[in-house]
Each structure stands twice: as structure tokens, then as C-alpha cells.
Amino acid sequence: MIARLLRRGGRDISCEQAVALVTGYLEGALSNGERSRLERHLAGCPHCTEYLAQIRATIGLTHTLRTDELTPQMQEHFIELYRRWSADEE
């Protein structure tokens, strides 16, 4: 999916493409070219820069959660969110 988004966009990437690349960026999974293109976009886009900051903060907060701290309802809610997200990715 990422390669398809990058091929579609020519040299510059759109905000939609940047959002699709953020996870790979944070995981260090992008090629040098993909990373460079995303970083160029981020340098000129305060909205995507804020989105990246929010994702980093979310990851930081979720690393502090322990499953024994979640109620069964919260666990089911997170599972449902994940199911919806993974269905959208297909």
C-alpha cells in the first residue's frame, strides 16, 4: 500500500500519504527515499507534524498501560477499535 501511495503522488506527497507513512516512519521501516520524502513533507506541514507528535504521545501513553489495569469493557473496546482499524487497512 505504501509503495502504491508513493507512486501515485509523484515527487511530493500529500497529507493522506504522509499519514499512511507515519507508522512505518516511527518503526524505522521506511526506505531512505520514503523517509526523506516524508520528512520534507513534515518540514512544511504543521498539521502532519502535529499528527506525528500525537501518534508519538499515544504510543508513549499506551506503553504505560498494563492489561490488568483495564476493565473487561475497556479491553473489548480496544479489541473492537483494532478490528475496525485492521479491516480498513485491507
Side-chain angles (χ1 to χ4, degrees), residues 15-88:
C15 291
E16 177 186 8
Q17 293 166 325
V19 166
L21 294 171
V22 164
T23 300
Y25 180 73
L26 293 173
E27 292 174 347
L30 300 181
S31 69
N32 290 338
E34 291 168 333
R35 189 181 69 252
S36 293
R37 290 175 71 195
L38 177 60
E39 288 173 347
R40 279 196 307 273
H41 179 84
L42 292 169
C45 184
H47 303 293
C48 287
T49 302
E50 179 62 26
Y51 176 75
L52 177 61
Q54 290 173 355
I55 295 300
R56 279 186 171 136
T58 300
I59 290 169
L61 289 171
T62 57
H63 283 245
T64 65
L65 287 176
R66 294 190 342 240
T67 55
D68 61 340
E69 295 175 329
L70 300 175
T71 66
Q73 295 83 7
M74 291 170 71
Q75 289 180 22
E76 185 55 41
H77 179 72
F78 284 125
I79 291 168
E80 181 57 32
L81 285 173
Y82 176 77
R83 286 181 183 143
R84 282 189 282 170
W85 172 82
S86 62
D88 288 343

Side-chain angles (χ1 to χ4, degrees), residues 6-19:
L6 290 173
R7 279 195 306 272
R8 257 191 0 208
R11 237 185 133 196
D12 296 325
I13 62 173
S14 68
C15 291
E16 177 186 8
Q17 293 166 325
V19 166

